[in-house]
Amino acid sequence: MKAFSLSLRIAWVHLIAKKRQTLVAMLGVTFGISMFIVMISFMSGVNDYLMDLALDGSPHVHIYNPVKIERPALASSVYDTSKTWIKVHHQRPKLEQTKIRNGQKIVGEIKLMPEVSRVSPSLSSQVFFNNGPLQFSGTMLGIDIETENEMYKLYEKMETGSIEKMLTNREGILLGENLAKKLNVNVGDRVNLSAPAGGSFMLKVVGTFSFGMTLIDETRCYVSIQTAQKILGKPANYFTDINIKLKDYNKSQQLTKQFETMFGYKAEDWQEANASILAGEVIRNTLTYVVAITMLVVAGFGIYNIMNMTVVNKMRDIAILKATGFESKDIVSIFLFQSVIIGISGAMIGVILGAGISYGIDQIPFPARELIKLETFPVTYNVKHYGMAIFFGFLTTLFAGYFPSKKASKIDPVAIIRG
Amino acid sequence: MISISAKNITKYFHEPTTFKVLKDLNFEVNKGEFVSLVGKSGCGKSTLLYILSTMDTDYEGSLILNGENVTGKGQDELSRFRNNHLGFVFQFHFLLPEFSVLENVMLPAMKLSKYSNNEIEHRAIEKLRLVGMDEYALKSAGKLSGGQQQRVAIARALINDPAVIMGDEPTGNLDKQNSMIVLDILKKLAVENHQTIITVTHDHDFAKQTDRTIEMEDGKIIN
């Protein structure tokens, strides 16, 4: 312990004697650490934002009945297919309803599962909105307003009007913000829409919503499931989708498989539905870590160079210390202490600077408001990232300092003193 | 009592070609003796001194210092041995310039850590008084003159009360007056403290003042 405090004392005197050099090395670490924090905070802010968007906007598991294009040719039931090739060109799909049979029973069963938090049957269909002579296509979702509201926090997405009116007004419709603009309607106005199978209906706009994603805000509208059934001319047990929110969204993949085997319908988890967003996340993370760690490595090289220089400048001192009885480990600790002091103080300032810059970025308004709904650049403040920055910063300085220190300890005092 | 005992010391230099610098040297130095090593440049006297100092371990033969066989010991063990039993004074003073005079003297004692820091400081001032440098204790070592630095270096060599003090031309870089001061200090140490002193020197006046002169030529002791 005493030997360490002596090494520390010598290290400190060396650092103080070369203030400018020490400061430059420290700033290298400070810059590396702060940029590391800024980049990771910003990137994980973006990732978290997109993840929230994905989780808010889509169910954890979505069960539906896909249109089957490929089906075995009729001829294959007559011929032995292992011996005969059957090729049907340009096969047409069967007229098949996309409804989920036994839907009510399935919903009831899913509801009883312990992992499930909410189940909502819904009905989706393409519709056309008529605005004078023009028609816009859109997606109509017939939903159970209350459940859907809880699942997707629709009330948070409301721009104008209120979701409660949907409960009292059977003819009510909620329009995506951009869709409402295209149709030039406001709350209280009526819109005319027609179903693919024919017939047109007048509905009353009770609110507009915005998910922050153009694709949704430009095409989606919500009506109650009963209204949707009426528009499509279907009976009351007709629905096409079952949306499920789980208590733990990480279990979605496992449950998706279970649902598929249980009910025989296609089930899709939120990862699959948002594959592009999640793939982007991996790329962004990789890029961020590569750049951030490169910065630390560059800072490490800075320390390595400066420590090497110090060792060369201090050869005589090292020789004299060894001659008067200092052991190799004392010499190593003298120089290692120097780089660790540079590393720790640089990292501390870097953490403060990094948090400051992150906060600054957090305040910058996000320019492209049309595309995604975001007021300022997203930034997360995660203690883990700060800990990681300090840890990696410390590790780089330790590495950068170790090799010059080792070199110092190997100096042959005789060679230096004899000249 | 024998302080230094060298038996069959042989050393080779391998660069640029293998060359026998020291040829089977045998000698002994008694405790409290003040010995000077003289000889022409390249006769091997400094090489011998650095072997005696335990810093150079690349030799054949055996070396007993202060009753302890130091041949074959590891570097760190030898460091501790030097710290405890040997003191050095070099031709070019070699103080640590960023530290004060006092700290320069204290460092080897702090390394040994036999005494508390307060005691070490007390002892260091005592040693500085012995070489007449006590009033410069708090000055930065880099700001002293050559003669002053050499006296501080002697104080540092003395701080752990070593059995043997070794000098490599300790007066080689000093004027007549400073040389005399250094010589007097060393003589006093041998007589009063019974510390063994062995120094390499070119200065014949200096050598004449010592108890014994070992003369070397071509890697052999001739006198």
Side-chain angles (χ1 to χ4, degrees):
Chain A
M1 204 55 230
K2 218 166 173 183
F4 271 136
S5 71
L6 183 57
S7 301
L8 191 62
R9 164 90 186 113
I10 297 172
W12 183 251
V13 170
H14 281 176
L15 286 176
I16 294 293
K18 293 235 182 303
K19 284 194 194 71
R20 181 186 298 226
Q21 206 183 55
T22 307
L23 201 70
V24 168
M26 226 173 75
L27 284 179
V29 181
T30 300
F31 185 71
I33 299 268
S34 58
M35 283 301 123
F36 183 93
I37 287 175
V38 168
M39 289 200 60
I40 286 183
S41 300
F42 180 47
M43 264 321 145
S44 62
V46 171
N47 285 342
D48 286 357
Y49 171 75
L50 290 174
M51 183 90 154
D52 280 353
L53 218 59
L55 279 174
D56 278 7
S58 53
H60 295 156
V61 184
H62 175 205
I63 299 176
Y64 63 103
N65 186 7
V67 176
K68 296 183 192 72
I69 304 290
E70 299 269 328
R71 61 191 155 90
L74 199 61
S76 65
S77 56
V78 181
Y79 296 99
D80 182 359
T81 48
S82 64
K83 286 176 188 154
T84 319
W85 281 74
I86 299 163
K87 181 72 193 160
V88 182
H89 288 280
H90 210 80
Q91 196 178 18
R92 304 282 181 201
K94 249 177 19 182
L95 175 61
E96 225 176 355
Q97 287 191 318
T98 52
K99 80 173 265 189
I100 293 176
R101 281 170 220 278
N102 267 335
Q104 296 294 1
K105 190 169 158 267
I106 293 174
V107 168
E109 269 178 53
I110 293 173
K111 246 180 207 164
L112 292 177
M113 293 178 73
E115 298 93 339
V116 172
S117 101
R118 293 193 200 297
V119 188
S120 162
S122 74
L123 202 172
S124 74
S125 170
Q126 298 294 314
V127 287
F128 293 101
F129 297 95
N130 305 310
N131 185 14
L134 294 180
Q135 281 196 321
F136 300 105
S137 74
T139 312
M140 175 183 70
L141 290 179
I143 54 169
D144 179 286
I145 300 292
E146 268 177 299
T147 323
E148 207 85 358
N149 187 12
E150 282 163 7
M151 274 171 72
Y152 300 129
K153 300 190 184 129
L154 285 181
Y155 57 90
E156 278 183 3
K157 312 279 190 301
M158 295 305 291
E159 289 286 312
T160 57
S162 81
I163 200 157
E164 284 74 26
K165 288 247 177 71
M166 283 292 281
L167 299 170
T168 52
N169 194 341
R170 294 207 78 179
E171 309 280 270
I173 183 168
L174 294 173
L175 292 176
E177 196 186 20
N178 298 1
L179 182 61
K181 259 184 216 151
K182 274 207 291 197
L183 297 171
N184 196 18
V185 289
N186 288 315
V187 174
D189 292 344
R190 286 183 173 274
V191 287
N192 183 287
L193 71 133
S194 42
S200 80
F201 297 83
M202 290 294 275
L203 294 174
K204 191 181 176 194
V205 180
V206 297
T208 61
F209 60 85
S210 167
F211 274 86
M213 285 193 278
T214 321
L215 197 67
I216 292 178
D217 296 343
E218 234 171 34
T219 56
R220 189 178 285 184
C221 72
Y222 288 110
V223 295
S224 74
I225 191 160
Q226 293 83 1
T227 313
Q229 284 158 350
K230 205 172 89 189
I231 291 170
L232 297 174
K234 302 290 184 189
N237 66 352
Y238 181 94
F239 49 85
T240 56
D241 307 82
I242 300 173
N243 295 326
I244 300 159
K245 283 259 170 180
L246 303 174
K247 281 172 187 149
D248 176 6
Y249 62 76
N250 292 316
K251 284 191 183 152
S252 59
Q253 264 163 331
Q254 163 209 340
L255 280 162
T256 301
K257 282 194 199 99
Q258 200 179 327
F259 289 142
E260 277 190 350
T261 49
M262 271 170 78
F263 308 121
Y265 285 109
K266 168 83 182 146
E268 188 185 67
D269 57 35
W270 63 274
Q271 287 101 324
E272 204 179 331
N274 297 289
S276 58
I277 289 179
L278 294 174
E281 180 171 338
V282 173
I283 293 166
R284 278 191 300 277
N285 275 341
T286 314
L287 210 68
T288 307
Y289 278 93
V290 166
V291 174
I293 286 175
T294 306
M295 279 175 169
L296 286 184
V297 169
V298 170
F301 271 104
I303 291 187
Y304 176 81
N305 276 333
I306 285 178
M307 288 312 297
N308 251 338
M309 239 163 70
T310 307
V311 167
V312 170
N313 288 337
K314 291 271 173 259
M315 293 252 250
R316 300 176 105 209
D317 294 31
I318 295 163
I320 203 73
L321 286 170
K322 287 186 105 173
T324 55
F326 282 74
E327 296 158 46
S328 295
K329 65 171 201 283
D330 299 318
I331 307 291
V332 169
S333 56
I334 286 171
F335 288 94
L336 213 51
F337 269 132
Q338 293 188 34
S339 82
V340 165
I341 290 171
I342 290 172
I344 289 179
S345 48
M348 288 303 154
I349 302 172
V351 162
I352 296 167
L353 189 67
I357 296 175
S358 304
Y359 181 77
I361 290 176
D362 205 357
Q363 306 306 308
I364 301 172
F366 193 80
R369 201 175 177 277
E370 291 299 310
L371 203 67
I372 37 177
K373 200 180 157 195
L374 204 54
E375 276 162 20
T376 60
F377 280 85
V379 171
T380 49
Y381 303 93
N382 191 339
V383 179
K384 207 176 83 189
H385 296 152
Y386 289 76
M388 212 155 67
I390 293 173
F391 176 73
F392 278 127
F394 186 72
L395 211 66
T396 18
T397 49
L398 210 59
F399 262 109
Y402 180 75
F403 296 101
S405 307
K406 202 72 200 163
K407 188 174 125 189
S409 78
K410 291 218 173 86
I411 283 173
D412 176 13
V414 179
I416 307 294
I417 292 168
R418 292 196 63 174
Chain B
M1 200 187 142
I2 291 161
S3 184
I4 302 174
S5 165
K7 287 200 182 79
N8 308 326
I9 301 285
T10 301
K11 175 162 175 86
Y12 297 91
F13 277 163
H14 300 286
E15 294 288 330
T17 51
T18 300
F19 165 66
K20 203 169 184 179
V21 210
L22 300 178
K23 296 163 185 165
D24 210 17
L25 300 184
N26 286 288
F27 68 95
E28 286 176 345
V29 178
N30 289 323
K31 185 169 158 46
E33 212 177 350
F34 188 174
V35 176
S36 56
L37 265 172
V38 297
K40 294 204 178 77
S41 258
C43 71
K45 58 187 190 306
S46 283
T47 307
L48 176 61
L49 185 79
Y50 284 101
I51 289 173
L52 296 182
S53 79
T54 75
M55 283 192 270
D56 187 351
T57 52
D58 182 21
Y59 62 91
E60 289 162 18
S62 84
L63 177 63
I64 296 169
L65 289 175
N66 204 26
E68 201 169 328
N69 182 12
V70 295
T71 306
K73 284 192 170 163
Q75 285 297 340
D76 286 342
E77 208 179 337
L78 288 175
S79 285
R80 285 193 291 274
F81 182 83
R82 285 199 290 275
N83 191 222
N84 220 335
H85 303 292
L86 303 182
F88 295 100
V89 184
F90 305 106
Q91 183 175 5
F92 302 102
H93 26 83
F94 283 113
L95 298 179
L96 307 183
E98 295 95 347
F99 290 84
S100 71
V101 165
L102 186 64
E103 279 179 307
N104 263 287
V105 178
M106 285 170 71
L107 278 176
M110 285 161 84
K111 169 60 195 159
L112 187 64
S113 71
K114 201 161 111 189
Y115 301 102
S116 75
N117 276 2
N118 275 339
E119 269 172 285
I120 290 171
E121 194 177 324
H122 183 73
R123 290 168 60 84
I125 288 177
E126 223 169 74
K127 302 296 177 195
L128 282 170
R129 191 169 297 135
L130 197 71
V131 297
M133 288 298 293
D134 50 326
E135 57 196 293
Y136 296 93
L138 298 177
K139 272 211 160 172
S140 168
K143 295 200 172 114
L144 300 183
S145 74
Q148 289 172 325
Q149 290 204 23
Q150 196 59 296
R151 278 145 74 186
V152 175
I154 293 173
R156 182 184 60 198
L158 297 177
I159 188 72
N160 287 338
D161 294 329
V164 183
I165 297 165
M166 296 183 183
D168 184 10
E169 308 216 24
T171 60
N173 215 21
L174 303 178
D175 59 23
K176 200 78 206 161
Q177 195 193 345
N178 274 312
S179 294
M180 289 319 290
I181 296 172
V182 168
L183 181 65
D184 284 342
I185 295 166
L186 292 177
K187 267 167 101 173
K188 208 162 82 180
L189 290 171
V191 174
E192 288 176 13
N193 298 1
H194 303 292
Q195 283 167 299
T196 309
I197 299 172
I198 179 162
T199 75
V200 164
T201 184
H202 267 119
D203 185 345
H204 284 284
D205 293 336
F206 183 99
K208 262 183 243 160
Q209 303 260 356
T210 60
D211 298 341
R212 175 152 67 111
T213 302
I214 297 175
E215 200 177 342
M216 285 180 68
E217 200 177 282
D218 290 336
K220 282 185 195 145
I221 292 171
I222 55 167
N223 195 351

